[in-house]
Amino acid sequence: EPCGFEATYQELASAVKEEYPDIEIEPRLGGTGAFEIEINGQLVFSKLENGGFPYEKDLIEAIRRARNGEPLEKITNSRPPCVIL
């Protein structure tokens, strides 16, 4: 599927693993059109709320904050989802 979430998930997971090789990433499949990211059980991004997907740099920054014990904030910046014309 050109607009499936799998490619976006793989892209983000790869970027996270490159920056933080020891981090655990757990994908969970759903059928609602949601693409959500939790860090330590806290929701930090929701495609349903933002209408797109997170930028790698924003996700990496959220992970950095969590690892440093800083408070997590929701990622509100998002890139648009795939559109086929």
Side-chain angles (χ1 to χ4, degrees), residues 10 12 14-15 19-21 24-25 30 47 49-52 55-56 60-61 64 75-76:
Q10 291 296 337
L12 289 168
S14 177
E19 187 77 22
Y20 299 106
E24 182 181 328
I25 299 173
K47 179 182 165 287
E49 291 176 8
N50 293 302
Y55 289 99
E56 291 175 13
I60 297 294
E61 175 62 16
R64 184 199 65 75
I75 298 170
T76 57

Side-chain angles (χ1 to χ4, degrees), residues 23-56:
I23 204 162
E24 182 181 328
I25 299 173
E26 178 186 329
R28 287 183 243 158
L29 296 176
T32 64
F35 186 95
E36 297 182 331
I37 298 174
E38 292 180 356
I39 298 176
N40 298 333
Q42 182 177 335
L43 182 67
V44 295
F45 181 84
S46 172
K47 179 182 165 287
L48 296 176
E49 291 176 8
N50 293 302
F53 297 102
Y55 289 99
E56 291 175 13

